[in-house]
C-alpha cells in the first residue's frame, strides 16, 4: 500500500568545523572544558536550498551552531529530545596510521587497548602524549522547548571523554531514560537521575574496544535495538579484546564485527 508522505518532514542538523580551546581530564563531567564553537552561519540554510525534495515533503532546519558543533551521530528519544554526539578529538587526540606509518608494525602487533597506549608512549614525547588528553568528545542534549519545530535549548549531557585511548565518540541511542554511548574503548550507559539535563549516573558496560589505531571511522558505533530486545552495535577492523560480566574473554582483534548484548 502506498504511504501518504504529505505530512512527513525532514529536519537537517548542521555540521560545522570548530577550533579548540581549554582542556579537561578524566571521565567525570568537566565544567571547565569549553571548546570554541563558531557562531551561527548560513551554511545549513544554503545546504537546504541545494536539496532536491520529493513532492509532498519539505526540509526544515532544526538545529545549527552554536546549539551544537561537529555532530557525529544523534538519536531522538520518545520525548523528542535530541542526543547529539560531538567530536573535538578528530586529529587532536585521535589519528590514524596513514599519518604515522612508522607505527604500522607496532599497531598491527597490538593485542589490547593497553598495547595501543604503550605504543603512543613509545613514539611520543611526554608533551605529545599529554596532548592526547587535551580535547574531549561529548554528548549534547538539544531540545525544542516551545514546540515550534526548532531547537531552542542546548546543554552538555555528558563530557570528559578524553583519555589517551579514547574516541572518536561515534554512536548514541536513548530509550526510556537510558542513554547508550559508544566511545572507544567503552560502551557506556548514562542516566540523568535528577532531571537537570546532565548524566549524573555513568557506567561502563564493557571496555576493550579499539585494539588498533587503524583508520579513522572504523570505530564503535551503529547502536540499535533488535526485535529480540537486545542491543546491537558494530566496530570496524580496529578490533576488540574484552571481558564480559560473567568473566568470559571476547577477542576479535584484526577484523570488524557486529555485536549484541543484553541492555
Amino acid at each position: 500500500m502506498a504511504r501518504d508522505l504529505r505530512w512527513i518532514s525532514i529536519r537537517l542538523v548542521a555540521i560545522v568545523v570548530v577550533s579548540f580551546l581549554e582542556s579537561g581530564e578524566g571521565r567525570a563531567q568537566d565544567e571547565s572544558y569549553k571548546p570554541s564553537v563558531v557562531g551561527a552561519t548560513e551554511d545549513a540554510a544554503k545546504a537546504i536550498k541545494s536539496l532536491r525534495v520529493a513532492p509532498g515533503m519539505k526540509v526544515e532546519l532544526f538545529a545549527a551552531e552554536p546549539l551544537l558543533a561537529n555532530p557525529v551521530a544523534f538519536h531522538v528519544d520518545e520525548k523528542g529530545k535530541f542526543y547529539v554526539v560531538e567530536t573535538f578529538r578528530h586529529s587532536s587526540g585521535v589519528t590514524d596510521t596513514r599519518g604515522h606509518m612508522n607505527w604500522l608494525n607496532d599497531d598491527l602487533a597490538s593485542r589490547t587497548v593497553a598495547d595501543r597506549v604503550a605504543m603512543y608512549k613509545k613514539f611520543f614525547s611526554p608533551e605529545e602524549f599529554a596532548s592526547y588528553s587535551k580535547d574531549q568528545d561529548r554528548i549534547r542534549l538539544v531540545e525544542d522547548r516551545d514546540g515550534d519545530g526548532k531547537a531552542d535549548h542546548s546543554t552538555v549531557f555528558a563530557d570528559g571523554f578524553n583519555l589517551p585511548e579514547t574516541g572518536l565518540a561515534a554512536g548514541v541511542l536513548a530509550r526510556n531514560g537510558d542513554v547508550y554511548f559508544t566511545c572507544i574503548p567503552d560502551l557506556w550507559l548514562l542516566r540523568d537521575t535528577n532531571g537537570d539535563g546532565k548524566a549524573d549516573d555513568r557506567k561502563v558496560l564493557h571496555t576493550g574496544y579499539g585494539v588498533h589505531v587503524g583508520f579513522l571511522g572504523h570505530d564503535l558505533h551503529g547502536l540499535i535495538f533488535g526485535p529480540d530486545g537486545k542491543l546491537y552495535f558494530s566496530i570496524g577492523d580496529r578490533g576488540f579484546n574484552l571481558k564480559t560480566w560473567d568473566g568470559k574473554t571476547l577477542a576479535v582483534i584484526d577484523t570488524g564485527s557486529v555485536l549484541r548484548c543484553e541492555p
Side-chain angles (χ1 to χ4, degrees), residues 45-56:
K46 292 177 181 177
I48 288 176
K49 292 179 181 179
S50 69
L51 298 177
R52 296 168 59 188
V53 183

Side-chain angles (χ1 to χ4, degrees), residues 7-49:
W7 305 111
I8 296 177
S9 64
I10 300 174
R11 290 173 177 171
L12 184 68
V13 178
I15 299 177
V16 298
V17 177
V18 303
S19 58
F20 311 103
L21 293 174
E22 303 297 337
S23 64
E25 297 179 7
R27 301 186 178 201
Q29 196 86 342
D30 183 1
E31 301 294 342
S32 69
Y33 182 67
K34 300 186 184 302
S36 177
V37 177
V38 300
T41 71
E42 298 298 321
D43 292 350
K46 292 177 181 177
I48 288 176
K49 292 179 181 179

Side-chain angles (χ1 to χ4, degrees), residues 2 8 11 26 32 52 58 62 93 108 113 132 173 191 198 234 245 260:
I8 296 177
R11 290 173 177 171
S32 69
R52 296 168 59 188
K58 68 177 180 178
F62 177 72
L108 292 175
V113 172
Y132 262 44
L173 186 154
R191 295 187 178 103
K198 298 180 181 180
S234 63
W245 281 14
R260 72 174 180 179

Side-chain angles (χ1 to χ4, degrees), residues 188-206:
W188 290 85
L189 175 58
L190 310 172
R191 295 187 178 103
D192 171 16
T193 63
N194 58 12
D196 66 352
K198 298 180 181 180
D200 51 86
D201 184 8
R202 301 159 60 114
K203 179 188 297 183
V204 175
L205 297 182
H206 353 112

Side-chain angles (χ1 to χ4, degrees), residues 27 89 93-94 116 161-168 183-186:
R27 301 186 178 201
R89 289 174 55 77
V94 180
R116 174 164 60 88
F161 305 100
N162 69 321
L163 298 180
E165 61 267 33
T166 298
L168 297 174
C183 183
I184 282 176
D186 305 310

